[in-house]
Amino acid sequence: MSESLRIAYAGTPDFAVPALKALIDSRHEVVAVYTQPDRPAGRGRKLKAGPVKTVAQAAGIPVEQPVSLREAEAQARLAGYAPDLMVVAAYGLILPQAVLDIPRLGCLNIHGSLLPRWRGAAPIQRAILAGDAETGITIMQMDAGLDTGDMLLKRTVPIVPGQTAQMLHDELAAVGAEALLEAIEGLLAGRLRPEPQDAAQATYAEKLHKEEAEIDWTQPADVLARRVCAFNPWPVAQTRRGGEPLRLWEARAIDGEGPPGRVVAEGPEGIDIACGRGLLRVTRLQLPGGRPLAVRDFLNGRTLAGEVLPS
């Protein structure tokens, strides 16, 4: 059997949970978990632990929550765990070179795209918005750049019509956990060879902004359908009705025509809204103060037929 490694794990949100659990269940030892400081949440704005911290505490693993890893004290604490390897997944802090040099086997990153496409903060959503037919997971050796390190292993995942960012996130998180364990075993066995990224092929996945969620009905229906999918669960695509936001959770493009923004039909199958080209059939939506409703429930006692939604 190959050696058992001492691993420091750095991650914060749900995306990083499956890989942490996989490491906990493996023969390797997770000696410390690094995660972002607790943040205020909910109506009371009380401090709340992130998903990775919750899993680490339940497993009895020491948790570290430095504000930065640039301070000598924080770097000394990490070195004190004597990690063989550090694994990073959606951590949220930059790792300076002094930190990258601490584990004798370096630092691996689980990235939610097929690098060098979609380096950066929102690779899953940007892939959907761009209409990519596929995306995936890249296990990468970290360097001081932004997602620029050598690639060790890739796993491809198709993007299917109607697939939301949440659905794809969950699938990629599971694939990432499997790929990470495979990469570690491959490294230890000497089977993997680092592959440099072709910087000329790189694209950047900019962080999402809330302003992007506003629907422009003059755009083609297939483009708007991708926006609805990419912005679910955040920031959620929305239009306006009577000056109030109307949030669109699920929709698909269909054939048809009409003045952009006009509701040309509605029924149990969906609410059909004319776009610059084609119709957007909305199947799940939400009024202010309410919860997301399937279209059949939304139309119970109300109608949008004939209304023109602004762009």
Side-chain angles (χ1 to χ4, degrees):
M1 177 179 288
S2 300
E3 64 180 305
S4 175
L5 300 179
R6 293 174 57 83
I7 296 176
Y9 190 84
T12 300
D14 288 320
F15 181 79
V17 167
L20 174 58
K21 288 182 175 178
L23 288 175
I24 292 172
D25 292 338
S26 75
R27 71 172 187 280
H28 305 294
E29 180 185 4
V30 181
V31 295
V33 163
Y34 281 72
T35 192
Q36 288 268 320
D38 298 353
R39 306 292 188 201
R43 291 186 176 180
R45 307 304 292 165
K46 293 182 178 178
L47 292 178
K48 182 180 180 181
V52 162
K53 180 180 178 179
T54 301
V55 172
Q57 288 180 321
I61 300 170
V63 174
E64 301 284 351
Q65 296 180 280
V67 176
S68 168
L69 287 172
R70 297 190 182 280
E71 305 298 328
E73 181 180 351
Q75 294 170 10
R77 284 190 64 84
L78 174 60
Y81 287 109
D84 299 304
L85 179 71
M86 189 166 189
V87 174
V88 180
Y91 177 31
L93 285 185
I94 295 174
L95 271 57
Q97 190 63 49
V99 168
L100 297 174
D101 291 339
I102 290 174
R104 67 179 179 87
L105 297 176
C107 301
L108 300 185
N109 177 245
I110 307 169
H111 187 75
S113 82
L114 298 174
L115 290 171
R117 188 162 176 78
W118 302 129
R119 294 172 176 171
I124 296 173
Q125 295 88 345
R126 296 297 174 196
I128 294 174
L129 284 171
D132 291 0
E134 63 181 22
T135 184
I137 286 289
T138 303
I139 306 297
M140 174 191 67
Q141 286 183 323
M142 296 182 70
D143 61 17
L146 176 63
D147 300 329
T148 55
D150 290 350
M151 303 174 292
L152 289 176
L153 186 146
K154 289 184 176 182
R155 287 291 174 267
T156 299
V157 172
I159 300 176
V160 300
Q163 192 171 26
T164 67
Q166 182 67 63
M167 295 174 187
L168 190 54
H169 164 283
D170 294 349
E171 184 174 0
L172 290 175
V175 171
E178 296 174 1
L180 172 67
L181 292 186
E182 186 178 342
I184 292 174
E185 296 310 311
L187 267 182
L188 292 176
R191 292 193 299 268
L192 299 181
R193 294 289 179 267
E195 176 189 355
Q197 295 186 38
D198 180 357
Q201 300 299 317
T203 59
Y204 178 62
E206 185 181 359
K207 181 180 178 181
L208 294 184
H209 301 284
K210 201 169 183 179
E211 300 74 30
E212 295 181 77
E214 204 72 33
I215 289 288
D216 176 358
W217 294 106
T218 64
Q219 293 191 341
D222 57 342
V223 172
L224 296 184
R226 294 201 299 268
R227 297 182 76 81
V228 172
C229 289
F231 296 152
N232 179 347
W234 194 91
V236 185
Q238 66 175 32
T239 184
R240 295 277 164 180
R241 180 177 182 246
E244 295 289 326
L246 180 64
R247 307 177 88 191
L248 312 179
W249 285 86
E250 295 177 8
R252 66 180 185 274
I254 62 173
D255 293 333
E257 61 182 20
R262 180 177 292 280
V263 179
V264 299
E266 64 181 17
E269 298 298 318
I271 297 170
D272 298 342
I273 305 169
C275 307
R277 183 180 67 240
L279 304 177
L280 187 70
R281 173 164 286 178
V282 180
T283 56
R284 192 171 187 82
L285 61 173
Q286 180 184 16
L287 287 168
R291 57 186 175 84
L293 295 173
V295 69
R296 183 188 298 274
D297 298 321
F298 182 88
L299 292 176
N300 186 18
R302 62 172 71 89
T303 179
L304 273 63
E307 291 191 23
V308 178
L309 305 173
S311 294

